[in-house]
Amino acid sequence: MAAENLLTPSPGEIAFGADLIAGRIDELARQISGDYRGRDLVLVTVLKGSAIFLADLSRRLTIPHRLDFIAISAYRGASAGSSGRIRLLKDIDRPVRGEHVLIVEDIVDTGLTLNYLFTTLRFRGAESVEVCTLLDRPYRRLIEIESRYVGFTAPDAFVVGYGFDYRQRFRNLPDIHLLAR
Ligand code: IMP
Ligand code: MG
């Protein structure tokens, strides 16, 4: 047990505290509420990590909107290389044709996931597709893609907490930590 704890990566230093996150989400929500006033807005959230961010963001929006969810898995194994093949695990429930879609993401890293979502939702006839991501690593992009709304620029280190997981653990932590190995 003790030996396992020593070998298991665990949450270390706090990178973004709960209060800081909440304050930034207030600002993003105000901006989004202004930009989408009078439009049919749907927040499309990528399961599972972004669900925590969505819950806080959605409750701070002052305009009507609906929620939908999508789940995908990325192959980043040796065989996939940088092509980053992406598989759809769960599709959104309702058509987005004619609606304004805001993709809610936890973090944009290479941009491969986001590029797939962007293309798919555009193809389905959404009136507009934009992205709101809590964290961004612009310096890691393999595909050029820009988010209209960004919470914070993330450090080049693995983070856990506030939805971010390491092997499905630590999503429930209120703060975002660096993973200590
Ligand atoms: P990408 O932009 O296609 O590379 O995908 C980014 C996805 O990788 C995110 O949605 C997360 O699920 C995951 N990810 C990237 N960096 C981290 C991290 O530091 N902690 C936890 N998950 C991460
Ligand atoms: Mg994600």
Side-chain angles (χ1 to χ4, degrees), residues 19-37:
D19 290 345
L20 184 66
I21 296 169
R24 187 68 187 117
I25 292 177
D26 274 342
E27 294 174 352
L28 291 173
R30 211 172 305 129
Q31 217 180 326
I32 293 166
S33 298
D35 292 351
Y36 286 91
R37 196 164 301 281

Side-chain angles (χ1 to χ4, degrees), residues 42-60:
V42 53
L43 305 185
V44 172
T45 303
V46 188
L47 296 171
K48 311 169 197 165
S50 312
I52 307 274
F53 175 39
L54 169 76
D56 284 341
L57 181 69
S58 171
R59 287 180 296 172
R60 283 170 176 78

